Amino acid sequence: MGAAEKMHRASAATASVLLPATDPRRPWRDTRLLRVPGPDVVDTPVVGLLEHLQAGDVLVLNDAATLPASLDTVWDHQPIELRLAGPSFALDAMHADAFPARWWAVVFGEGSWRDDTDTRPPPPPLPVDARLGWRGMSARVRSSWGRLVELEFAASGDALAAFLYAAARPVQYRHLHAPLELHQVQTPYGQRPWAVEMASTGRPLRWPLLRMLEARGVELAWLTHAAGLSATGSAALDAALPLPERYDVPPETLQSVARAKARGRRVVAVGTTVVRALESCALAGWSPGLGLAELRIDRHHALRAVDGILTGVHSPGESHWDLLGAFADRDVLEAAHEAAVAGGYLAHEFGDLMLIL
């Protein structure tokens, strides 16, 4: 553990909020695990997961890779940033791995990731049919609702993918101390380039740890969920998060879930994206394959697919915190938050984890 992280932990003990993890180079073995509910806060490393999962449990992971989803351009002589929020297409026209031409995007005014997302100046209005340009690519605004716009790029498929990987950069926020490289926002097992922000709970789950879990009889299962933006700079849009996001649940994963349920074992989701995908799939009649997650899960939601969650350390007021209300009572979550603050647990995508069973 570095001196900066020790200082963060000491400061957190006297603060009322969680401190962010600021360095993407933080070793995965330094990730800490908070068991909820638990009698005391124990400084458990992430490998402590081996002690909490049992033979026959199913651990479901999101194999979405992270796209470079932030694009800079100019409109009305003013610099703007577009953060892609996900493809825009009807469910019956959805293709599993294509890069469609039409995407939702959130527009930011002048500034950069080094500025507070909530205080950046608003962008100039983008009218319908506005044309945006980059070297080798253009896009037309098909529809606009304030900061949320629907874009249609001049290309799709491999041509659009090549453009994004050449011209865009990862979405990031001011709590980080340096620009992100694309490899720093990938999970060890990410494959399909669907996510616009990293499905970050899986970042510390390296293959040696996953293999140790398998050796103890924990079954690994997989799905893909297009993790979306975590902040938009608009209070109204933030209140609507998460936006609808596509998912793909293979038949084998549903079979693993069904076996676990039949045997009285637990289905544990790695991250809120997995919860949203599996619960959406259950609501849709357990049909495998592609779907669109439109659920906003909170304490009023009765879980049908998932029995536990491994997730980041979240704070009250976040949409992720609201989702955790489906797993534990508010007083339990508040006690966990207080314990995390007092213990110096770190938040955000390179931070620590909590396990609710």
Side-chain angles (χ1 to χ4, degrees):
M1 185 193 310
E5 186 168 334
K6 289 179 180 177
M7 203 155 62
H8 278 324
R9 291 187 183 181
S11 299
T14 58
S16 58
V17 296
L18 293 163
L19 292 175
T22 61
D23 191 348
R25 299 168 301 176
R26 185 188 188 206
W28 70 270
R29 289 184 180 275
D30 287 352
T31 305
R32 300 164 69 199
L33 181 67
L34 179 66
R35 173 71 167 90
V36 181
D40 298 296
V41 178
V42 180
D43 193 4
T44 306
V46 68
V47 293
L49 196 60
L50 293 165
E51 306 303 320
H52 296 298
L53 299 183
Q54 302 168 358
D57 289 343
V58 175
L59 189 68
V60 187
L61 304 100
N62 181 3
D63 67 4
T66 311
L67 288 167
S70 170
L71 286 163
D72 289 329
T73 189
V74 174
W75 174 252
D76 194 23
H77 307 291
Q78 300 181 53
I80 62 172
E81 178 190 359
L82 293 159
R83 294 183 182 178
L84 301 182
S88 164
F89 42 29
L91 186 58
D92 58 3
M94 191 180 294
H95 298 286
D97 293 299
F99 280 76
R102 292 165 58 179
W103 289 72
W104 294 110
V106 175
V107 192
F108 292 82
E110 186 174 4
S112 73
W113 63 268
R114 295 183 185 278
D115 301 304
D116 189 332
T117 302
D118 293 332
T119 60
R120 280 179 66 171
L126 282 178
V128 173
D129 288 329
R131 298 276 178 172
L132 304 172
W134 301 266
R135 185 174 182 178
M137 184 60 64
S138 64
R140 177 174 69 92
V141 176
R142 290 181 54 92
S143 54
S144 176
W145 291 271
R147 289 194 178 198
L148 182 66
V149 298
E150 184 184 16
L151 299 177
E152 183 171 9
F153 287 96
S156 61
D158 291 345
L160 178 57
F163 162 71
L164 290 176
Y165 279 95
R169 63 181 186 276
V171 171
Q172 72 176 97
Y173 299 94
R174 67 173 297 189
H175 62 268
L176 297 169
H177 65 59
L180 286 171
E181 300 291 339
L182 187 59
H183 71 87
Q184 294 174 322
V185 290
Q186 308 297 341
T187 61
Y189 45 79
Q191 298 184 53
R192 301 166 82 179
W194 279 26
V196 297
E197 291 189 20
M198 176 172 57
S200 56
T201 301
R203 187 191 74 89
L205 302 187
R206 304 294 158 141
W207 282 108
L209 176 55
L210 294 176
R211 294 305 181 215
M212 285 189 283
L213 286 167
E214 283 189 308
R216 295 197 175 198
V218 176
E219 183 178 355
L220 305 183
W222 307 89
L223 56 79
T224 311
H225 183 105
L229 297 175
S230 58
T232 67
S234 161
L237 270 180
D238 282 352
L241 294 178
L243 300 174
E245 296 158 348
R246 60 176 170 163
Y247 65 83
D248 188 6
V249 181
E252 297 80 8
T253 294
L254 292 187
Q255 291 164 10
S256 296
V257 169
R259 281 197 302 270
K261 297 289 188 184
R263 296 170 181 171
R265 307 313 300 164
R266 299 171 297 190
V267 177
V268 181
V270 176
T272 58
T273 57
V274 172
V275 176
R276 203 168 181 227
L278 285 178
E279 292 298 315
S280 296
C281 187
L283 192 64
W286 299 100
S287 297
L290 293 165
L292 193 64
E294 298 180 279
L295 280 175
R296 184 182 172 91
I297 299 173
D298 58 19
R299 62 187 179 86
H300 301 292
H301 178 83
L303 294 166
R304 300 175 62 188
V306 182
D307 305 298
I309 181 172
L310 180 69
T311 185
V313 184
H314 303 296
S315 297
E318 300 174 359
S319 61
H320 292 79
W321 170 273
D322 292 342
L323 182 144
L324 298 182
F327 291 89
D329 292 337
R330 184 177 182 87
D331 58 343
V332 172
L333 296 177
E334 288 177 345
H337 178 259
E338 291 172 3
V341 170
Y345 282 71
L346 300 179
H348 295 304
E349 66 270 48
F350 302 107
D352 297 310
L353 301 180
M354 55 194 294
L355 176 67
I356 306 177
L357 294 174

